[in-house]
Amino acid sequence: MALIVHKYGGTSMGSTERIRNVAKRVAKWARAGHQMVVVPSAMSGETNRLLGLAKELAPAKPEEAYSRELDMLAATGEQASSALLAIALQAEGVESVSYAGWQVPIRTNSAYTKARIESIDDKKVRANLASGKVVIVTGFQGMDDLGNITTLGRGGSDTSAVAVAAAMKASECLIYTDVDGVYTTDPRVVPEARRLKTVSFEEMLEMASMGSKVLQIRSVEFAGKYKVPLRVLSSFTPWDIDINEEAASGTLITFEEDEHMEQAIVSGIAFNRDEAKISVLGVPDKPGIAYQILGAVADANIEVDVIIQNISKDGKTDFSFTVHRGEFAKTVDLLRNKVLPSLGAQEVVGDAKICKVSIVGIGMRSHVGVAARMFRVLSEEGINIQMISTSEIKTSVVIDEKYMELAVRALHRAFDLDQQPT
Ligand code: ASP
Ligand code: MG
């Protein structure tokens, strides 16, 4: 008998029929003798619908002005789906009880719409498990010190599930979703993309941060910090498939490198179209310029990704970096109006039609020449690299957006990711 956490995404909870299927699946696990905690998302589309209603009523106001109410509102989506699941389980003859985040309680800070979990009191959940009940805990939400309802950011139910699993030292946290695992890249771009049986937590973190949207990135960070065994698997298999087969399906996120059975050097290709490039040209090359430029950007709460500074010529240098595309105009404005005058730089130029493509793999730590191979592949395709950034287990390039699919396909092929590892 083990304590298991299941998380079901919005699509899996998308209709009463699907909720009944989830209930049957959970009942199967409970009847196999496991203690079950289930964390559902809101029914698909519900969070968008609720937030859309708010927008209709206050379109002109900055969201921060009413973010407390947004959380109060959006949290109802998970409250509804959790109660429905408890009802469906009872209809299956399985005793069950649901709790909203504030009832558990799951304590968070007060950063509405992007709160962070601080602690989870598991007494109530444990008592119910001990009395033989399946316990349902709403995803996506908690409560701050003053008793306000908070939410954890879009996709936050993943983080709720992992946090509950960590707090309760669950044997495994299974994330049931509408894909059957983590792939070598997005199968919509490369049809030959393959499901990985295992992926290391560090690789997953890199891929999640680069737009492989299978898991909310915070949930991966949480799983890494608390060593929560995490598996991503499909909720669309028949609910009555063999439980052992189900327990071994999908993609397992592992911690030990030697558990990483697929010994590929590169495990996946990630890409991200949501970035824009900004260059500050003719910057006097002297101490403090990076701070003057990026400090101002950070003060405006704008996240910066890839950064490069050229070598200087005649005492002047160029400085380039990328930001989220949605913050492109704001960043350019800020630099032109607030930073440029005091910096003595010549001009600020930008390009929003770029993308970032990355190869990710823990094997890169112990192999040389992997980045060079990536550059060769891109050169053979005639793709110009605009920026490069590397970490121990990743090499990213910024290229023209129009070559993104070509680059991803060529790299996927060149690193043999369409072949089953031997
Ligand atoms: N319902 C929330 C959202 O749509 C949280 C989640 O599904 O993980 O973002
Ligand atoms: Mg999700």
Side-chain angles (χ1 to χ4, degrees):
M1 188 178 86
L3 198 163
I4 307 270
V5 175
H6 279 190
K7 184 260 168 178
Y8 290 92
T11 319
S12 321
M13 299 293 292
S15 64
T16 46
E17 198 192 321
R18 289 193 178 161
I19 292 175
R20 188 177 294 124
N21 267 303
V22 169
K24 286 182 192 292
R25 193 184 296 276
V26 172
K28 175 180 74 181
W29 282 74
R31 289 190 176 117
H34 298 302
Q35 292 193 315
M36 298 299 300
V37 179
V38 185
V39 178
S41 286
M43 295 173 78
S44 59
E46 180 63 5
T47 311
N48 286 342
R49 186 185 74 84
L50 292 167
L51 296 177
L53 294 175
K55 269 239 154 66
E56 271 180 41
L57 292 169
K61 271 203 180 175
E63 281 199 359
E64 295 82 39
Y66 52 93
S67 57
R68 179 191 179 278
E69 306 311 325
L70 288 178
D71 282 3
M72 181 78 179
L73 174 70
T76 63
E78 273 71 10
Q79 187 174 329
S81 62
S82 295
L84 289 170
L85 181 56
I87 292 167
L89 274 159
Q90 285 165 26
E92 291 300 318
V94 174
E95 276 204 78
S96 162
V97 59
S98 69
Y99 290 109
W102 64 269
Q103 291 176 305
V104 173
I106 294 177
R107 292 200 176 272
T108 71
N109 63 13
S110 302
Y112 298 120
T113 75
K114 45 180 182 300
R116 283 180 180 266
I117 295 177
E118 284 172 348
S119 66
I120 297 181
D121 180 348
D122 65 354
K123 273 198 246 29
K124 221 181 265 177
V125 178
R126 283 207 190 272
N128 280 287
L129 290 175
S131 72
K133 288 189 182 134
V134 169
V135 182
I136 314 209
V137 174
T138 52
F140 186 45
Q141 58 193 271
M143 174 183 86
D144 74 1
D145 280 347
L146 299 171
N148 298 301
I149 291 176
T150 54
T151 69
L152 309 180
R154 299 309 304 268
S157 297
D158 295 336
T159 302
S160 306
V162 174
V164 167
M168 304 199 64
K169 304 209 166 32
S171 308
E172 199 166 296
C173 180
L174 285 78
I175 308 273
Y176 287 87
T177 178
D178 50 1
V179 294
D180 64 355
V182 179
Y183 276 69
T184 48
T185 195
D186 187 337
R188 281 169 301 189
V189 172
V190 184
E192 296 80 25
R194 230 173 9 89
R195 178 171 57 82
L196 295 162
K197 286 200 183 70
T198 64
V199 65
S200 76
F201 141 76
E202 289 159 290
E203 289 168 327
M204 193 60 214
L205 203 55
E206 292 284 11
M207 294 202 234
S209 69
M210 287 178 305
S212 305
K213 296 204 175 63
V214 190
L215 290 174
Q216 194 199 35
I217 181 150
R218 295 247 300 272
S219 74
V220 184
E221 288 166 4
F222 225 100
K225 191 159 164 204
Y226 297 98
K227 296 254 188 302
V228 179
L230 194 60
R231 183 181 293 276
V232 175
L233 69 170
S234 170
S235 67
F236 291 135
T237 53
W239 67 267
D240 56 353
I241 63 165
D242 177 69
I243 193 168
N244 295 316
E245 186 188 326
E246 184 175 322
S249 67
T251 300
L252 179 68
I253 292 134
T254 61
F255 295 95
E256 311 294 317
E257 279 188 28
D258 52 15
E259 272 179 30
H260 193 254
M261 269 113 58
E262 296 173 61
Q263 287 297 351
I265 296 171
V266 170
S267 298
I269 316 282
F271 54 84
N272 187 352
R273 296 174 222 248
D274 297 337
E275 291 193 32
K277 182 176 81 167
I278 294 170
S279 301
V280 187
L281 306 178
V283 186
D285 192 8
K286 56 175 198 230
I289 53 156
Y291 174 63
Q292 272 191 60
I293 297 171
L294 296 178
V297 173
D299 288 344
N301 245 325
I302 297 165
E303 221 177 295
V304 168
D305 187 19
V306 184
I307 303 170
I308 53 170
Q309 184 188 331
N310 284 350
I311 54 159
S312 60
K313 195 168 162 259
D314 308 324
K316 299 223 177 245
T317 184
D318 301 332
F319 199 91
S320 304
F321 57 94
T322 63
V323 295
H324 192 275
R325 208 173 275 187
E327 308 206 283
F328 177 57
K330 184 175 158 193
T331 315
V332 171
D333 270 3
L334 171 84
L335 291 172
R336 281 201 182 129
N337 301 324
K338 302 248 164 67
V339 180
L340 216 55
S342 61
L343 197 64
Q346 279 151 359
E347 67 178 315
V348 176
V349 296
D351 182 358
K353 291 200 160 48
I354 53 130
C355 69
K356 191 173 74 171
V357 175
S358 313
I359 55 174
V360 178
I362 48 173
M364 288 167 74
R365 259 189 210 140
S366 46
H367 290 79
V368 294
V370 184
R373 205 157 128 207
M374 176 187 203
F375 305 149
R376 190 182 74 212
V377 172
L378 296 174
S379 94
E380 280 165 5
E381 298 295 338
I383 299 171
N384 183 41
I385 301 171
Q386 304 178 16
M387 300 167 97
I388 300 171
S389 99
T390 63
S391 79
E392 245 194 327
I393 65 162
K394 170 198 81 175
T395 302
S396 304
V397 296
V398 170
I399 60 174
D400 189 321
E401 173 186 68
K402 68 173 181 268
Y403 299 124
M404 192 195 78
E405 306 208 340
L406 176 63
V408 173
R409 286 195 195 111
L411 291 167
H412 198 269
R413 216 179 311 114
F415 286 100
D416 292 330
L417 289 175
D418 41 2
Q419 315 286 323
Q420 224 27 264
T422 45

